[in-house]
Amino acid sequence: MNKRIWAAALAAAVTFTSAAMLPYNDTQVVMGAAQASGSEVEEKSTDGRTTESGFTFTVSGKEATITGYSGSLKDLAIPTKITVEQENSAGGGTTGGSTGGSANTTSTEYEVVAIGSNAFSGNLGIQKVTMSGGIDKDGRVYGIRTIGDRAFFACHDLSNVEIASTTDSIGKYAFTDCVALGTIKVADSNQRYKVIDNALYYYTAGVGTGEYKLMQFPLADKATEYKVPDAISSTLTEIEEGAFWGSPSLEKITIPATVKEIGNNAFTECKKLKTISLPAGLKALGEEAFKGDTALEEVTLPEGITTIQPGTFQYCESLKKVNMSQELKIIGNRAFQGCKSLTGFDVPGNVTTLGDQAFAQCEALRQITIPMRTTSIGSGVFTGTKVTVLCHNGSQASVYAAGNGLTTERTYTVSFYTNSTYTNLISSQEIVEGKDAVPPQVAGRDGYRMSWSGDYTAIKQDTRVYQIWDKLFNVTFIDSFNGRTEVVQVDEGDLVVPPAWTMSGYTLEWDTDLTDYVTSDFTVRAAWRNNKTGDKLSANAVKPGAKGTEVTKGNNKYLISSSNAANPTVKFVGLVNADVSNVAIPETISVGGVSYRVTLISNNALKDNKSVTSVIISKNVKSICAKSFNNCTKLKKVKLKSKIITKMNNKAFAGIHKNAVFYTYNSQLSRYKEMLKGAGVKKPTVKRL
């Protein structure tokens, strides 16, 4: 087939695939290249090792690999073709497989397909790198296909990278520790790599689906928090080696539940990282994953992590707590070396191995509990510490401690099981003699209460306990009058203990016998008995309003002064319509189904009223407060029907009509006459009712 026709067919095929993603294959990468823009970047070389602009390279067959750069340019365009021109030692013409230059030179073209491992590693001058790829005028695919391991590692000035459409392999740590890297671009037609929110992802296509792996976070990004973009939050499965290495600003990282693997050095030297949420489904956490994260204080490792790899938390100087599951088996070499803030550590009960220098230079570490199952303890595990080892007598830990001059304290194993045959272990703990074990958190069962078969406090020997599940019943206590309900769960066959509710002036009784053993769910209602009258509040009794609540009855205004159900009271505070001549203050008022006694006339209740001529004060009033009727200039008649008034406060009746007459019972005449003098009436006229 003609090459031009073949190229056109490829372009048409690419247009088709943009509408429906096909499974990834090598052909599709080639097809994608047809959409790439730009042209080939050509370089010449006269020695077969270095191009004119400073790229070093090696060749194999007709292909070349860039191995380094010795020039001074800051903005690099990676060559896609290198022509090597060499002088012939004798005679003119060309040699087989080469193109002729002049009669005395031989020109050989090499297609640049790769950037080798460590090619630009540590180069501090490079600021931008552009990699091209596509299809030339003859229908030939050109461009970088492979970027090797650590190709641009620690290029600290590199800020901008453009990756070709033809690139289908990027090695480990390729752009790691490029602290100035802020812009990453990938040609749109690349079928294996994508940039989302300026981060580089590896993409594995499937029919209608896709999975992503985070390869490189742009370290120049100033964000303090990283969350996976919504577009891939359900398809990100892995964070690859060195993805966040050296981030200068990130303080919080949230990883979605879909992530199963985190590679080596993924978060190394993230100096400000304080918080990271690891998903429950995580199965692998790489070596030195958090090495040098000096701000990290606490980490929770999911159950799927069975090994803490070498150097995982090395030199995490602020780390105080690591939450680990009983699934953990191995703590690797240097795992916590240099964690200067660790003061205590409980090795989970199923850990068999402590690696070399696992806790070396943990300067604040004062005690560590090591279980019986730990049978392999490496060299220098506690170098540079003053730790006390809590362990069983005769255990490998006690032997190790004795051999290394470490102080020990005796412990016993407390094991928690699901069953009485002790065949299904939940967890085990090493407990210092005389101390208490802490039972594990276990999922509950609806309708059952769990307890343990034995005591796990003040431990003095190895102890095993198992779960006991008792059937539960719900006894519902209801106090309708006070609007409260409490549900008490009771073990089958036990007596229920009711809530200790109280109400002033009343005794609590229940409408159901509580002396029978509980065998089912049931409801009990409160019955309140008045301590003075012996009467019970009816089921539809209404609770008095709250103290201080304003209520109105007729033309009178009141405030609730007591909401005690046994003795609710109000005080008279004034009138709705002040333009009346006669005012009657009753014995009681009924509001909202509650009867309140009127026991007090408030300060200033009718002060300065110019309309009232007569007032009746009924028998429940105990106190007439200051200035209650002060300056009521037309008030001429006051009936005091109450025999229990104990106070008529200062100026209560001062300024009323000069000919005012007070009426009361014969038994109160002299007493009230004296009280009225103190209330502002100089020469009170008091007559018998």
Side-chain angles (χ1 to χ4, degrees):
M1 179 185 291
N2 182 280
K3 289 183 178 180
R4 294 182 182 274
I5 297 175
W6 178 75
L10 284 178
V14 168
T15 302
F16 173 77
T17 59
S18 66
M21 180 65 71
L22 299 177
Y24 173 82
N25 55 48
D26 292 338
T27 303
Q28 196 167 16
V29 171
V30 176
M31 290 165 62
Q35 290 183 320
S37 60
S39 58
E40 290 196 77
V41 179
E42 300 184 15
E43 288 270 354
K44 291 184 179 181
S45 172
T46 57
D47 60 5
R49 296 185 300 275
T50 306
T51 69
E52 291 176 341
S53 61
F55 292 99
T56 59
F57 63 95
T58 60
V59 298
S60 176
K62 286 293 185 178
E63 296 180 342
T65 297
I66 300 297
T67 59
Y69 180 71
S70 57
S72 59
L73 294 176
K74 296 181 179 181
D75 187 345
L76 298 184
I78 304 298
T80 58
K81 182 169 68 175
I82 297 176
T83 300
V84 177
E85 295 182 348
Q86 294 179 316
E87 292 186 2
N88 294 322
S89 58
T94 62
T95 59
S98 301
T99 59
S102 65
N104 296 318
T105 62
T106 300
S107 296
T108 307
E109 291 184 354
Y110 296 95
E111 179 186 359
V112 179
V113 297
I115 297 173
S117 297
N118 299 294
F120 298 92
S121 180
N123 191 311
L124 300 183
I126 303 172
Q127 296 181 357
K128 181 178 180 180
V129 173
T130 303
M131 291 167 263
S132 301
I135 295 177
D136 66 12
K137 57 183 174 49
D138 296 320
R140 179 182 64 87
V141 177
Y142 68 88
I144 299 297
R145 300 174 192 169
T146 301
I147 300 172
D149 294 346
R150 298 178 179 262
F152 297 93
F153 181 84
C155 290
H156 289 169
D157 294 327
L158 181 60
S159 62
N160 192 308
V161 169
E162 297 184 12
I163 298 170
S165 60
T166 49
T167 301
D168 61 8
S169 176
I170 299 177
K172 298 177 181 179
Y173 306 103
F175 301 102
T176 295
D177 200 29
C178 294
V179 293
L181 186 58
T183 302
I184 305 172
K185 295 181 180 179
V186 175
D188 291 341
S189 52
N190 191 302
Q191 297 297 302
R192 190 163 276 184
Y193 296 97
K194 294 186 178 184
V195 172
I196 304 173
D197 289 353
N198 220 22
L200 178 63
Y201 293 86
Y202 174 92
Y203 176 75
T204 302
V207 178
T209 64
E211 291 184 350
Y212 288 82
K213 299 178 181 180
L214 174 57
M215 294 199 64
Q216 185 60 56
F217 177 79
L219 299 186
D221 192 310
K222 301 301 182 184
T224 59
E225 180 178 359
Y226 170 78
K227 293 180 68 175
V228 174
D230 292 342
I232 59 170
S233 61
S234 61
T235 53
L236 184 69
T237 60
E238 184 177 339
I239 295 175
E240 296 204 345
E241 290 89 343
F244 292 89
W245 182 331
S247 170
S249 58
L250 282 175
E251 298 178 9
K252 181 178 180 180
I253 296 174
T254 302
I255 301 174
T258 52
V259 171
K260 305 300 181 187
E261 184 174 348
I262 294 175
N264 298 341
N265 302 103
F267 307 102
T268 294
E269 300 293 334
C270 293
K271 297 293 187 183
K272 291 188 177 181
L273 182 61
K274 296 179 181 179
T275 304
I276 185 163
S277 300
L278 299 177
L282 189 67
K283 300 299 182 185
L285 183 61
E287 295 184 12
E288 300 183 354
F290 299 100
K291 180 180 178 180
D293 292 355
T294 53
L296 191 63
E297 295 184 358
E298 182 175 349
V299 172
T300 297
L301 298 179
E303 289 188 359
I305 301 300
T306 59
T307 299
I308 298 179
Q309 298 288 352
T312 297
F313 299 101
Q314 192 175 21
Y315 304 128
C316 291
E317 297 181 352
S318 299
L319 188 65
K320 297 177 182 178
K321 187 176 182 181
V322 181
N323 304 304
M324 300 160 288
S325 77
Q326 291 296 315
E327 302 301 314
L328 192 68
K329 302 293 192 300
I330 297 171
I331 296 177
N333 299 341
R334 309 177 314 284
F336 296 97
Q337 182 181 15
C339 292
K340 296 181 179 180
S341 296
L342 278 180
T343 58
F345 196 94
D346 291 334
V347 177
N350 290 316
V351 170
T352 61
T353 303
L354 298 181
D356 297 344
Q357 298 181 301
F359 296 92
Q361 287 81 52
C362 291
E363 299 171 358
L365 189 63
R366 293 296 177 263
Q367 72 174 37
I368 186 168
T369 304
I370 303 179
M372 282 288 288
R373 286 184 174 84
T374 303
T375 54
S376 175
I377 303 178
S379 63
V381 173
F382 302 109
T383 299
T385 72
K386 297 179 180 179
V387 70
T388 295
V389 179
L390 280 55
C391 59
H392 260 60
N393 283 352
S395 66
Q396 184 62 36
S398 68
V399 173
Y400 182 90
N404 288 272
L406 300 172
T407 302
T408 61
E409 284 191 30
R410 184 171 184 172
T411 66
Y412 295 101
T413 302
V414 180
S415 301
F416 295 87
Y417 292 84
T418 63
N419 52 6
S420 59
T421 57
Y422 303 111
T423 55
N424 190 9
L425 178 68
I426 301 173
S427 70
S428 63
Q429 303 168 20
E430 293 298 315
I431 305 300
V432 176
E433 187 172 20
K435 301 295 184 181
D436 300 341
V438 178
Q441 296 291 326
V442 296
R445 296 182 191 172
D446 288 341
Y448 286 85
R449 187 199 308 278
M450 193 213 76
S451 59
W452 297 102
S453 63
D455 188 19
Y456 43 80
T457 61
I459 295 299
K460 294 183 179 179
Q461 62 184 8
D462 289 344
T463 302
R464 299 188 301 179
V465 296
Y466 58 88
Q467 291 176 319
I468 297 175
W469 294 94
D470 292 313
K471 178 67 177 173
L472 285 179
F473 292 105
N474 292 328
V475 180
T476 304
F477 292 88
I478 299 175
D479 177 8
S480 299
F481 186 77
N482 292 294
R484 53 190 169 185
T485 299
E486 183 174 326
V487 178
V488 178
Q489 290 192 317
V490 187
D491 292 340
E492 184 175 20
D494 285 354
L495 295 174
V496 63
V497 178
W501 291 335
T502 61
M503 186 169 70
S504 179
Y506 283 82
T507 298
L508 176 61
E509 299 178 357
W510 301 105
D511 70 350
T512 302
D513 183 8
L514 301 180
T515 61
D516 290 337
Y517 296 113
V518 176
T519 57
S520 63
D521 295 341
F522 61 95
T523 298
V524 184
R525 296 184 180 277
W528 295 102
R529 184 178 296 279
N530 191 302
N531 292 338
K532 291 183 178 180
T533 66
D535 296 333
K536 284 186 180 180
L537 291 176
S538 65
N540 59 355
V542 180
K543 186 177 181 180
K547 184 177 180 179
T549 301
E550 182 175 306
V551 295
T552 299
K553 190 69 174 180
N555 193 42
N556 291 357
K557 294 193 295 186
Y558 305 88
L559 288 180
I560 296 175
S561 51
S562 171
S563 58
N564 186 333
N567 184 28
T569 63
V570 294
K571 57 184 177 181
F572 172 77
V573 296
L575 301 172
V576 176
N577 176 19
D579 189 18
V580 295
S581 57
N582 300 314
V583 174
I585 299 172
E587 298 174 19
T588 62
I589 62 170
S590 180
V591 180
V594 178
S595 179
Y596 298 88
R597 293 190 309 121
V598 183
T599 61
L600 183 143
I601 300 173
S602 181
N603 296 338
N604 305 308
L606 294 181
K607 184 176 181 290
D608 296 327
N609 186 290
K610 305 304 181 183
S611 299
V612 174
T613 60
S614 70
V615 171
I616 298 173
I617 299 174
S618 296
K619 68 178 185 178
N620 287 327
V621 173
K622 296 180 179 180
S623 180
I624 302 173
C625 296
K627 299 183 180 180
S628 298
F629 303 96
N630 185 271
N631 204 30
C632 291
T633 57
K634 291 186 177 182
L635 180 57
K636 297 176 63 176
K637 184 178 181 181
V638 179
K639 290 185 178 181
L640 300 173
K641 291 187 174 183
S642 174
K643 297 179 180 181
I644 58 174
I645 297 174
T646 58
K647 289 182 181 180
M648 294 185 192
N649 287 347
N650 184 35
K651 297 183 180 180
F653 291 98
I656 66 174
H657 196 281
K658 63 181 180 178
N659 296 322
V661 179
F662 294 86
Y663 296 87
T664 188
Y665 298 105
N666 188 55
S667 60
Q668 308 300 320
L669 287 174
S670 59
R671 188 167 74 90
Y672 285 177
K673 189 171 185 177
E674 290 303 314
M675 292 177 69
L676 286 167
K677 290 178 182 179
V681 183
K682 293 181 180 180
K683 295 181 179 181
T685 300
V686 183
K687 296 182 178 182
R688 181 177 177 180
L689 271 173

